[in-house]
Amino acid sequence: MKTYIAFLIVSILTSVSFTQNLSGAERGNRAGLSIRLANFVSPTFNSDLAAFAELQLTEKDDLELVKNVLKSLIVLENTPEADGGDRSRTSLDVIADSYLKNTAIYEKAIKSLSAKNNKNEKALKEYKEILSRKSPVQ
Amino acid sequence: MNASYYLRSDENSTGAIENRIGVLTAGSEFKVLNKKGNALQIEITKMSSSSQVRKSEKIWIWKGNNTHFTELDTTIAASTEGQSPQVKCENCETPVTKVTEVKKKNVDSIQAVAREITNQANQAPPVASITAGSLDDKIINYSKSSEVASAIKWAEKNNGLFSYRKCYRQVKFALAAKDANKNSLIPGRFSDEAAIGAKNSLKNYGFINLMDIEPYKTQMKAPSQAPKGSVLVYSSGIKCPNSKIKDCGHVEIKASDTSYVSDYKSSYAINETPRARRFGTNYKLIGIMVKPMETK
């Protein structure tokens, strides 16, 4: 009986673990997305960001992707408007729902980036305040 | 003339509203004093009841479409109620005349398009002529008012380098900023949710949306065409976080042709940044809000 229960538990855990793992194609898609999002002047940046916001994120697979997105947003707002920068922070609206669904991953990414670069810390702190706001913009 | 025409203080007719001094409507008569191309310096001899004109040393009218004017006699007096001149076609069947006519038509059609563009800028819409004529002045008064100046001053002083998603709040505070006479565009900050709501909420405080009123509705399509001090309202198509509002929108004040302020200041309107022009944007202008004023 004990052996049966142990086998059952191991089977369930294996199954859960297997379903959480990403397929090779999915990993490739996310890697491609991460590379494209690093180039904020790419014509597909807006649609790529919207696609990213739809993803179900996991810490194991997507922490680096989230970090890359946040880095891109910082570069985007610090670039002069004439060179394709955007000070309106419109992109934060696009990822707002993703933040609320995957807060823990974002928090970890923000913490990690803040520790590496003090300059980014202020911007990331503001992002966190904006994204975690419970009420609408006003 | 069987249409309404803007009266101008000079012969320039670029479609700008600065030199408009009134509207002459059907039924009026005038005497031509001077002529520069299609621009006529006139003296009004009979004014129809719906016409309106401010005092000015010189009054000019742009006579673009001849069918709108009828000469009363050889001294070039014109009536606004006359019929358009009838042109009879003689020898229409002659082939030589036909070829010449086709060539002439091509040249004429190009010239006609150019004339039509100029005419449209000068011809006042018949129904809304009086409203538009007087509204132009009221809008200019608004743009030059001390209330707008104080709103812009407040907004330019109280904004960040980047947006922090408080555009509507900052705009409301700016509009509530008092001038030296303790007057402001709105009495105080009011409660509202998303920025897109400004389009309706500001109407409670005497603002009008120029995008709802002719001729501005057809003339003004972009923030760059809006008058100074106007409150620009945009739809974004982006849902407000944690809210049932499906479109948050954006609002900003046009401080000048090169300055737009909300919770951040930019040289460009949100949908006219180089990035937006290059890659497109979700922001669409839906409201140019101004508060018509009788005096500056």
Side-chain angles (χ1 to χ4, degrees):
Chain A
M1 188 64 184
K2 279 181 184 175
T3 316
Y4 175 72
I5 292 168
F7 174 74
L8 198 66
I9 290 168
V10 168
S11 302
I12 292 167
L13 287 175
T14 311
S15 165
V16 168
S17 169
F18 181 76
T19 52
Q20 280 182 347
N21 279 337
L22 297 173
S23 67
E26 189 58 29
R27 277 175 198 274
N29 286 342
R30 292 188 185 208
L33 194 63
S34 185
I35 292 164
R36 288 199 302 278
L37 283 168
N39 176 18
F40 70 95
V41 288
S42 154
T44 60
F45 183 85
N46 292 346
S47 56
D48 286 336
L49 194 67
F52 162 78
E54 297 292 320
L55 294 177
Q56 183 63 46
L57 305 173
T58 59
E59 190 179 322
K60 184 184 163 193
D61 294 308
D62 300 312
L63 185 60
E64 288 305 312
L65 176 60
V66 175
K67 279 188 198 174
N68 285 347
V69 168
L70 292 172
K71 277 187 217 168
S72 293
L73 297 186
I74 292 170
V75 177
L76 177 64
E77 72 173 30
N78 285 319
T79 303
E81 285 181 312
D83 297 332
D86 182 14
R87 289 197 262 136
S88 69
R89 286 179 170 168
T90 307
S91 308
L92 290 181
D93 291 335
V94 179
I95 61 166
D97 278 349
S98 173
Y99 174 86
L100 294 172
K101 281 181 204 160
N102 308 285
T103 310
I105 303 170
Y106 276 88
E107 303 259 321
K108 200 160 186 177
I110 288 171
K111 202 173 174 183
S112 169
L113 289 174
S114 300
K116 282 179 187 170
N117 188 337
N118 287 337
K119 270 188 181 176
N120 294 342
E121 197 178 346
K122 193 185 165 200
L124 289 164
K125 198 178 165 187
E126 286 174 1
Y127 287 3
K128 199 174 156 183
E129 277 174 25
I130 292 166
L131 290 168
S132 60
R133 199 166 288 145
K134 297 283 190 289
S135 60
V137 273
Q138 282 70 42
Chain B
M1 190 166 86
N2 51 21
S4 303
Y5 273 75
Y6 284 122
L7 297 171
R8 298 175 185 277
S9 56
D10 55 51
E11 70 269 28
N12 293 327
S13 58
T14 54
I17 60 174
E18 283 77 17
N19 66 349
R20 285 183 195 167
I21 53 169
V23 176
L24 200 62
T25 58
S28 305
E29 290 176 12
F30 58 83
K31 201 166 92 179
V32 178
L33 304 174
N34 193 4
K35 197 174 180 184
K36 282 187 184 175
N38 281 347
L40 309 175
Q41 189 188 346
I42 60 166
E43 184 190 322
I44 299 167
T45 51
K46 183 187 162 192
M47 203 160 79
S48 70
S49 57
S50 53
S51 295
Q52 199 181 60
V53 60
R54 270 185 292 162
K55 276 185 183 176
S56 174
E57 282 183 7
K58 291 176 180 176
I59 302 173
W60 289 83
I61 194 166
W62 185 270
K63 187 185 173 187
N65 190 338
N66 284 332
T67 60
H68 291 159
F69 299 83
T70 303
E71 287 184 14
L72 289 178
D73 52 41
T74 49
T75 56
I76 351 175
S79 162
T80 57
E81 282 179 330
Q83 298 297 312
S84 58
Q86 288 184 353
V87 181
K88 286 180 183 174
C89 178
E90 289 174 7
N91 300 325
C92 287
E93 298 305 315
T94 314
V96 179
T97 319
K98 263 188 176 176
V99 174
T100 324
E101 272 179 1
V102 169
K103 281 181 183 173
K104 194 170 177 290
K105 244 183 186 178
N106 289 337
V107 178
D108 282 352
S109 63
I110 297 166
Q111 288 171 342
V113 171
R115 268 200 305 274
E116 188 58 32
I117 293 166
T118 319
N119 291 347
Q120 279 174 6
N122 285 281
Q123 193 183 332
V127 181
S129 58
I130 296 306
T131 323
S134 52
L135 193 55
D136 283 349
D137 296 338
K138 289 176 184 175
I139 294 168
I140 292 168
N141 288 342
Y142 167 81
S143 292
K144 291 179 177 175
S145 68
S146 56
E147 288 94 328
V148 165
S150 58
I152 290 171
K153 193 178 169 188
W154 192 96
E156 289 195 321
K157 204 175 166 187
N158 296 277
N159 62 66
L161 189 57
F162 309 110
S163 169
Y164 50 102
R165 325 315 293 151
K166 293 279 187 188
C167 58
Y168 197 14
R169 190 184 75 162
Q170 293 302 94
V171 166
K172 282 189 278 190
F173 273 126
L175 295 178
K178 293 190 181 341
D179 65 1
N181 300 321
K182 304 283 177 197
N183 294 323
S184 60
L185 293 166
I186 59 172
R189 198 185 151 219
F190 54 90
S191 177
D192 209 344
E193 279 197 294
I196 198 168
K199 190 185 162 191
N200 293 324
S201 301
L202 288 177
K203 286 179 182 170
N204 299 331
Y205 301 95
F207 279 79
I208 57 164
N209 184 359
L210 293 183
M211 295 185 88
D212 288 341
I213 302 165
E214 289 289 5
Y216 313 104
K217 191 178 175 179
T218 46
Q219 287 175 358
M220 291 183 180
K221 300 280 182 197
S224 49
Q225 295 168 318
K228 182 189 167 188
S230 52
V231 180
L232 306 171
V233 187
Y234 303 85
S235 67
S236 66
I238 298 170
K239 187 177 163 280
C240 280
N242 264 2
S243 164
K244 286 179 183 172
I245 300 166
K246 287 182 181 171
D247 191 343
C248 250
H250 175 65
V251 64
E252 61 192 5
I253 298 174
K254 183 173 178 176
S256 73
D257 285 340
T258 54
S259 175
Y260 296 83
V261 279
S262 54
D263 55 344
Y264 73 105
K265 187 179 171 184
S266 172
S267 305
Y268 308 94
I270 197 165
N271 65 347
E272 288 186 334
T273 59
R275 185 178 180 80
R277 284 175 193 270
R278 198 169 159 197
F279 305 128
T281 176
N282 288 327
Y283 288 92
K284 189 184 167 197
L285 185 67
I286 56 165
I288 300 174
M289 312 297 292
V290 295
K291 192 174 182 177
M293 290 180 170
E294 296 294 339
T295 53
K296 288 174 194 174

